[in-house]
């Protein structure tokens, strides 16, 4: 399980938009199967899958915006749908030689970055099994068996290579996020210590930024400024004391 950030949820929403665009593109290509090869073996199956994408993507987008249900459940469901749907499109387009495997590789590459643990390898395995089973079915119906299995094997290698790269990249990103959180905590602790030490000084201390806006002052300085500070809040130094601003 992962702790999703706002960036993860936005990426999940964009993934839903990608599926919506993909569904629309498939419908546009449906009437040109003789040119592009997409859906040439079974146009009706292609049309059905395209409408599933078009109908499901807005729902997925709303769920991502609402952040319900859990992030892991949503991204895993999206990847499972992609494995099944794109394998069906591969079937409708004549098998592994159709080039649809590239779309499946793209989905795995994007989705794996949003998953945690060994999930990228699990979905790479599912995609490989789906492609091999499609080729087995194609072989049983008399389509080019040996060349198709070679292409299916290449796709499987590509899926696991993508999973491996995504896993390494995700690990590095998590380590970087952990380091940044630790640095932020150290900075907060340092600021707290500095504020405590400054409050103990017998001198009035005022910290301002480059625009002379007051960012911090100790108890002595607050007492000295008195009512001016209480009414001014984090005001410009000139508004509190013209002599200090000169």
């Amino acid at each position: 399980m992962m702790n999703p950030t706002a960036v993860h949820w936005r990426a999940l929403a964009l993934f839903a938009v990608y599926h919506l665009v993909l569904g629309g593109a498939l419908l546009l290509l449906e009437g040109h199967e003789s040119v592009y090869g997409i859906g040439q073996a079974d146009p009706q199956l292609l049309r059905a899958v395209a409408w599933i994408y078009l109908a499901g993507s807005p729902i997925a987008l709303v769920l991502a915006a609402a952040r319900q249900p859990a992030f892991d459940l949503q991204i895993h469901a999206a990847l499972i749908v992609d494995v099944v749907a794109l394998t069906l499109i591969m079937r409708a387009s004549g098998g592994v030689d159709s080039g649809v495997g590239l779309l499946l590789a793209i989905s795995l590459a994007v989705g794996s970055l949003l998953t945690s643990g060994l999930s990228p390898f699990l979905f790479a395995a599912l995609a490989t099994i789906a492609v091999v089973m499609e080729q087995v079915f194609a072989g049983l119906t008399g389509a080019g068996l040996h060349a198709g299995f070679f292409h299916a094997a290449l796709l499987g290698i590509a899926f696991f290579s993508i999973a491996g790269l995504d896993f390494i990249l995700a690990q590095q990103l998590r380590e970087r996020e952990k380091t940044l959180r630790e640095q932020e905590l150290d900075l907060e602790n340092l600021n707290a210590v500095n504020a405590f030490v400054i409050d103990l000084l017998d001198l009035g201390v005022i910290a301002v930024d480059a625009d002379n806006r007051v960012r911090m002052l100790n108890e002595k300085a607050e007492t000295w400024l008195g009512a001016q500070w209480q009414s001014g809040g984090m005001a410009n130094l000139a508004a509190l004391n013209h002599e200090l601003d000169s």
Side-chain angles (χ1 to χ4, degrees):
M1 300 291 288
M2 68 184 299
N3 296 318
T5 64
V7 174
H8 289 97
W9 287 108
R10 283 196 295 270
L12 183 61
L14 289 175
F15 201 34
V17 173
Y18 162 73
H19 288 143
L20 183 63
V21 173
L22 178 60
L26 290 173
L27 281 183
L28 290 176
L29 291 173
E30 178 194 350
H32 305 280
E33 61 268 10
S34 61
V35 178
Y36 299 102
I38 302 297
Q40 61 181 347
D42 193 340
Q44 291 184 346
L45 179 58
L46 174 70
R47 188 183 310 114
V49 174
W51 277 112
I52 289 174
Y53 270 131
L54 287 175
S57 297
I59 298 174
L61 187 58
V62 170
L63 293 178
R67 301 188 178 184
Q68 290 293 335
F71 181 86
D72 284 339
L73 179 60
Q74 291 194 48
I75 186 60
H76 289 170
L79 287 173
I80 291 174
V81 168
D82 268 354
V83 169
V84 175
L86 292 175
T87 303
L88 290 176
I89 293 174
M90 186 182 298
R91 176 63 188 164
S93 303
V96 295
D97 295 333
S98 62
V100 177
L102 178 61
L103 293 175
L104 188 50
I106 292 173
S107 291
L108 290 177
V110 175
S112 295
L113 284 175
L114 300 177
T115 58
S116 58
L118 298 178
S119 294
F121 296 102
L122 171 62
F123 286 105
L126 289 176
T128 302
I129 293 172
V131 171
V132 170
M133 292 301 296
E134 144 59 24
Q135 182 53 35
V136 169
F137 185 81
L140 293 176
T141 57
L145 183 62
H146 300 294
F149 270 117
F150 177 71
H151 293 156
L154 290 180
L155 280 176
I157 293 172
F159 295 157
F160 277 97
S161 298
I162 290 171
L165 291 174
D166 281 355
F167 179 78
I168 294 172
L169 181 57
Q171 288 289 97
Q172 291 177 344
L173 290 175
R174 280 191 286 270
E175 287 296 325
R176 184 171 298 179
E177 290 176 357
K178 180 181 178 182
T179 301
L180 288 175
R181 285 194 297 268
E182 291 174 349
Q183 290 175 346
E184 290 175 356
L185 181 60
D186 290 341
L187 184 59
E188 290 176 1
N189 292 335
L190 181 60
N191 288 336
V193 171
N194 288 340
F196 177 74
V197 171
I198 289 174
D199 272 338
L200 294 178
L201 295 176
D202 289 332
L203 300 174
V205 178
I206 302 175
V208 297
D209 60 17
D211 296 322
N212 277 348
R213 290 191 299 266
V214 178
R215 291 303 182 187
M216 185 183 68
L217 73 167
N218 65 355
E219 187 176 350
K220 290 287 184 181
E222 187 174 347
T223 302
W224 176 58
L225 290 172
Q228 297 180 76
W229 168 253
Q230 297 299 332
S231 62
M234 302 300 280
N236 189 282
L237 190 60
L240 298 178
N241 191 295
H242 292 289
E243 294 181 1
L244 291 175
D245 190 51
S246 60

